[in-house]
Amino acid sequence: MTGRLDADVIVVGGGPAGSSTAWFLASRGMDVLLLDRARFPRDKVCSEYLSPQASRILEAMGALKSVEAAGAAQLSGMMVRAPSGESFRGHFAGAHGFKGFRDTGLALRRTILDSILLDRARAGGARVREDTRVVDLARDAHGRVSGAVIADSDGRRAALGARLVVGADGLRSIVSRRLGLARRSRWPSRIALVAHYTDVAGMDGVGEMHVDTQGYLGLAPVGNGLINVAVVVPVSRAKDLAGARSEFFEEWIDDRPHLRERFAGARQVTPVRATGPFASAVRRAWAPGAAVVGDAADFFDPFTGEGIYTALRGGEMLSGYLLESLASPRPGDAPLTAYDRARREEFGAKWRLERLVGTAVGFPRMMNRAVRVLSRRTDLADLFVGAAGDFVPPGEVLRLSNLGLLLAPGR
Ligand SMILES: Cc1cc2nc3c(=O)[nH]c(=O)nc-3n(C[C@H](O)[C@H](O)[C@H](O)COP(=O)(O)OP(=O)(O)OC[C@H]3O[C@@H](n4cnc5c(N)ncnc54)[C@H](O)[C@@H]3O)c2cc1C
C-alpha cells in the first residue's frame, strides 16, 4: 500500500502499447511515469511488420518521419503460399474502395522502432525509468490498485504511488496476472523462431507467408538490407529444438526446395531467438484503478501480424478513457469499463478473423482451398490483405458470401 503519489499514471512497459499510452496522456498534460525492466534499445522477437494503418498513429505521435528516416522497408502487400504450392498476392493499395492511411506497410527492426517510440513518450513529457522491474501492484485499504511495486537487482522493493496504473508489459504481463485477469489460451499453442538474414533471393517488396503442414515461415524485408525470417511451429515441436534452435531453423529452410533455392546465397546475421507459446487473453481489460493494453490484454498469433498496430491503437484509445477517469478528484472506474467495451467493439471482428485464419493455418486442406480461391479472385485477395492491414473492416471478409467462397469444398 502507498499513500504517496509519484505520478498521475504509472505505465508498466515501454513497448508500442506503453509508449503510445504514455505519449497520448503526457502530451495532454498528465504526469506519467513509465517503467520498463529493460534498457533500450532492447529487442523483441517479432516479424517487425507494421500495417498501413499503424502509420496513422506513428504520425499522430510524431514518430513517422523518424521511422522512415531510420530506413524502414516499405511493403506494398502480402503473398501467402499454401502447402499445395499455390499462392496469392494482395495489395494494400487496392481494396474495394477502402483506403489505408498509406498504400504501404512499414517494417523496421524492433530495436530501432521501440526506441523511437519511447523517445516520443519522453518528448511528450513522460518520465521514463529503464532498468526498473515491476514485481507487484500496490493497493489501498479497499483493494483498489494504487501503484506499482518495483524491485532492484538485489531484490530490494519500493512502492510507487499513482492515481491509475496501466499494464503494458506484454505477454505474461505481471499486471494482468496480479489483477487476476490473465487467461492463457490453449489454442493455437505455437512457438516462433526468428533471425535476420541478408541476400535472400527474390524479395520484391511484399511480406511473405509460406504455410506448410508443420507450421509456417514468414519473410519480410525490414530495411537496411535485412530480411526478417520467422518460423512458427506447434508447441509440440519444442522438444525438437531444445538446445538446437539454429539447426532446426536451417533444416526447416533446407528441407523445402522453394525456400532452399532462395537462401542459397543468403547470410544469417543475427542469432536465432525463440518465443512462445504466445496466445493469451484477459477476462476484461481493467480492474479498479488499473487497465491493461497491448499484448498484456491479448495476443493471438503472428500470422495476421498486427500486434504492433493493436498495441499503438490500444494506447491511443485507452488514453482517452484514462483522461476521463482522471478528470474527477477520485478516478472513477466507469470510463475503464467503457474502455473494455470499446476494445471489444474495435477489435472484435478482427479477433474472429484471426481465429479463422489461425484455424486454416492448422488445417492444410482448408488453407489450400482458401489460397486457391484467393489466387483467382484478386479483389478478395486485396480485401483480405486490407483487413490484415487494418484499414478494411474485417467484417467485409467475414461476410457469409465470402466465407462460402473461401471455405466451400470442391473448389
Ligand atoms: C513471433 C512473433 C512475430 C510477430 N510479428 C509481428 C509483426 O510482424 N507485426 C506486428 O504488428 N506484430 C507482430 N507480433 C506481435 C507484436 O510483437 C506484439 O503484439 C507487440 O510487441 C505488442 O506490444 P506491447 O507494447 O504490448 O508489448 P511488448 O512490445 O512486448 O513490450 C512490453 C514491454 O514491457 C516490459 N516489461 C515486461 N515485464 C515488465 C515488468 N515486470 N516490469 C517492467 N517492464 C516490463 C518489457 O521489457 C517490454 O519492453 C509478433 C509476435 C510474435 C510472437
Side-chain angles (χ1 to χ4, degrees):
M1 187 169 119
T2 171
R4 205 185 67 204
L5 268 188
D6 294 280
D8 288 324
V9 181
I10 287 180
V11 177
V12 184
S19 291
S20 89
T21 308
W23 189 87
F24 282 105
L25 282 174
S27 59
R28 289 174 183 142
M30 290 297 121
D31 179 22
V32 178
L33 178 59
L34 185 153
L35 311 172
D36 199 295
R37 66 182 175 195
R39 172 151 294 274
F40 286 64
R42 66 100 180 85
D43 212 347
K44 157 86 176 78
V45 181
C46 181
S47 299
E48 303 176 316
Y49 143 83
L50 288 117
S51 68
Q53 221 46 13
S55 290
R56 180 189 67 73
I57 306 174
L58 295 182
E59 174 80 343
M61 291 176 67
L64 185 56
K65 277 202 177 88
S66 308
V67 167
E68 293 191 310
Q74 305 273 348
L75 302 182
S76 62
M78 276 179 67
M79 185 287 286
V80 180
R81 183 185 192 276
S84 62
E86 282 190 274
S87 63
F88 76 86
R89 267 170 193 252
H91 292 97
F92 293 133
H96 291 247
F98 292 102
K99 199 91 185 102
F101 181 79
R102 285 281 184 88
D103 281 350
T104 53
L106 297 172
L108 184 65
R109 290 289 316 267
R110 290 292 297 268
T111 40
I112 307 173
L113 174 72
D114 289 20
S115 294
I116 292 173
L117 295 175
L118 191 63
D119 280 347
R120 290 310 301 158
R122 278 194 187 92
R127 290 174 288 137
V128 174
R129 276 174 66 174
E130 299 175 51
D131 287 325
T132 304
R133 178 185 294 273
V134 170
V135 291
D136 206 347
L137 296 171
R139 294 175 190 270
D140 68 14
H142 307 284
R144 182 184 175 81
V145 174
S146 61
V149 179
I150 57 173
D152 66 17
S153 50
D154 297 323
R156 276 189 299 263
R157 292 181 169 223
L160 299 171
R163 299 173 70 205
L164 292 171
V165 172
V166 172
D169 47 342
L171 295 173
R172 288 171 276 283
S173 155
I174 186 92
V175 177
S176 301
R177 282 184 284 139
R178 290 290 188 266
L179 292 173
L181 300 175
R183 230 172 0 100
R184 164 71 24 99
S185 206
R186 286 186 201 285
W187 176 87
S189 202
R190 297 185 179 130
I191 49 177
L193 300 172
V194 177
H196 296 89
Y197 282 71
T198 59
D199 304 304
V200 177
M203 298 301 303
D204 65 355
V206 296
E208 301 180 23
M209 295 305 238
H210 298 257
V211 185
D212 201 271
T213 51
Q214 313 275 315
Y216 61 89
L217 177 141
L219 282 178
V222 292
N224 305 305
L226 295 177
I227 314 295
N228 179 301
V229 185
V231 173
V232 181
V233 293
V235 76
S236 54
R237 304 296 307 273
K239 58 182 180 321
D240 303 332
L241 52 92
R245 282 179 202 167
S246 296
E247 292 79 353
F248 184 92
F249 202 82
E250 281 163 23
E251 273 169 28
W252 179 280
I253 294 166
D254 267 1
D255 287 350
R256 290 156 179 87
H258 69 285
L259 294 171
R260 187 169 61 228
E261 278 169 23
R262 295 181 59 190
F263 279 78
R267 196 162 60 88
Q268 186 188 332
V269 291
T270 62
V272 177
R273 299 179 69 217
T275 185
F278 24 73
S280 63
V282 286
R283 286 189 290 116
R284 53 183 161 80
W286 72 279
V292 290
V293 65
D295 281 4
D298 72 275
F299 183 68
F300 185 64
D301 188 82
F303 194 90
T304 38
E306 314 73 28
I308 301 173
Y309 170 77
T310 309
L312 293 170
R313 173 72 186 124
E316 183 187 37
M317 281 171 63
L318 173 59
S319 63
Y321 294 99
L322 296 181
L323 285 169
E324 203 183 316
S325 173
L326 290 164
S328 42
R330 183 179 154 75
D333 291 332
L336 303 183
T337 61
Y339 160 64
D340 194 44
R341 272 197 307 277
R343 272 186 81 243
R344 287 171 201 280
E345 274 164 31
E346 176 95 7
F347 301 126
K350 193 60 181 283
W351 291 335
R352 289 194 288 282
L353 180 61
E354 283 175 351
R355 272 148 188 76
L356 186 71
V357 174
T359 306
V361 166
F363 292 91
R365 285 172 62 179
M366 196 173 164
M367 196 72 196
N368 290 341
R369 190 179 304 139
V371 169
R372 170 167 297 176
V373 173
L374 291 168
S375 69
R376 294 169 183 175
R377 289 281 308 264
T378 49
D379 58 331
L380 273 187
D382 288 343
L383 202 67
F384 174 80
V385 165
D390 296 310
F391 62 91
V392 170
E396 293 292 319
V397 180
L398 294 172
R399 276 173 197 275
L400 278 180
S401 53
N402 288 338
L403 286 184
L405 272 176
L406 292 173
L407 302 177
R411 288 185 180 269

